Amino acid sequence: MSRKGDANMGVKFQADMDEFLPLRDVVFNTLRKAILTGELKPGERLLEIHLANQLGVSRTPIREAIRKLELEGLVIMMPRRGAEVAQITEKSLRDVLEVRRALDALCAELACDRITEEEKQKLKTACDEFEKATATSDATIIAAADVALHDIIVAATRNQRLIQLINNLSEQMYRYRFEYIKDENQHNNLVEEHRMIYESIVRRDKEGAAEATKLHIDNQEKSIIRQLRAENLP
């Protein structure tokens, strides 16, 4: 994706204040959300003084937040430019989705064996709620419904180590999930893919569930790559 300007020159956002969180965590969560939702664009510079002025805080929590975002791979430090939002590249996309493809397929297979009747009903409801969410055309609402649906499948594995691995990767995955969901042309496909995964799990069809899940991830990769290439056209 092409470089953007400096953060806060045109972007206006406020800190998501939480009385139960330290200020440094509030600042970190606010900047992280802005990056994940695309409010802060790939390549956009994160200037401490501008961010501090906009959020009404000192530069110290801004600096701490930028360091943590760098560790998560959402921010990179560039020579002579300082911190900027990490670009979404085809390589970074494939690296993350290769891992997600394998883990999600495993989750679907294990869920076929271990899902309860109550969880089946929750999964059906989640499919319905996701379809309703697509009608809002609000990417944040749709992404939340998508996460909720996949969380049911992950929980149904009863494998704590697998659940931990998924959770550790969830934030990196969210960025790419959000990019996919922003493509409204894919919403009908997403609804159908979720139904295929749900129906396979209900039938306890492990092979079908794994294949439907892999197709779901493969289509996500193709869609985002199309977006990346379109945005990089001269």
Side-chain angles (χ1 to χ4, degrees), residues 91-212:
K91 178 64 165 63
S92 66
L93 168 69
R94 288 195 172 100
D95 284 352
V96 171
L97 292 190
E98 279 179 1
V99 176
R100 184 183 167 195
R101 189 177 191 269
L103 293 181
D104 279 13
L106 177 58
C107 285
E109 290 177 344
L110 293 177
C112 285
D113 290 333
R114 302 171 185 177
I115 195 167
T116 65
E117 291 302 317
E118 181 182 0
E119 286 170 330
K120 288 180 185 177
Q121 185 55 51
K122 286 182 178 179
L123 189 54
K124 181 180 185 303
T125 300
C127 287
D128 294 338
E129 291 301 316
F130 178 82
E131 185 169 5
K132 291 178 185 175
T134 61
T136 68
S137 297
D138 185 322
T140 301
I141 293 173
I142 299 169
D146 187 58
V147 169
L149 187 154
H150 286 282
D151 282 351
I152 294 169
I153 298 173
V154 174
T157 67
R158 305 287 184 274
N159 184 317
Q160 291 304 313
R161 186 56 59 88
L162 179 57
I163 292 170
Q164 184 179 31
L165 285 171
I166 294 286
N167 288 339
N168 288 344
L169 286 168
S170 62
E171 298 308 332
Q172 293 179 55
M173 292 178 180
Y174 185 88
R175 192 181 191 196
Y176 301 107
R177 172 185 273 128
F178 200 88
E179 287 298 314
Y180 185 31
I181 284 168
K182 286 195 300 186
D183 184 357
E184 294 189 7
N185 293 326
Q186 298 300 319
H187 288 176
N188 288 338
N189 290 337
L190 277 166
V191 171
E192 181 59 29
E193 289 163 11
H194 285 156
R195 294 289 180 190
M196 290 170 59
I197 295 169
Y198 160 72
E199 289 169 2
S200 296
I201 291 174
V202 168
R203 292 195 307 268
R204 300 192 184 279
D205 176 4
K206 296 170 72 171
E207 182 177 351
E211 288 306 310

Side-chain angles (χ1 to χ4, degrees), residues 1-4 35 41-45 73-76 78 81 84-93 175-176 228 231-232:
M1 289 186 176
S2 59
R3 290 193 182 279
K4 306 296 180 181
I35 292 172
K41 307 294 184 184
E44 194 162 358
R45 294 178 67 192
L74 295 176
V75 165
I76 58 173
M78 299 294 292
R81 284 181 59 85
E84 64 179 47
V85 179
Q87 299 281 348
I88 297 177
T89 65
E90 291 188 25
K91 178 64 165 63
S92 66
L93 168 69
R175 192 181 191 196
Y176 301 107
L228 288 174
E231 291 177 16
N232 283 319

Side-chain angles (χ1 to χ4, degrees), residues 18-29:
D18 186 326
E19 61 181 314
F20 300 108
L21 287 178
L23 181 60
R24 65 177 181 274
D25 291 338
V26 170
V27 171
F28 169 72
N29 289 339

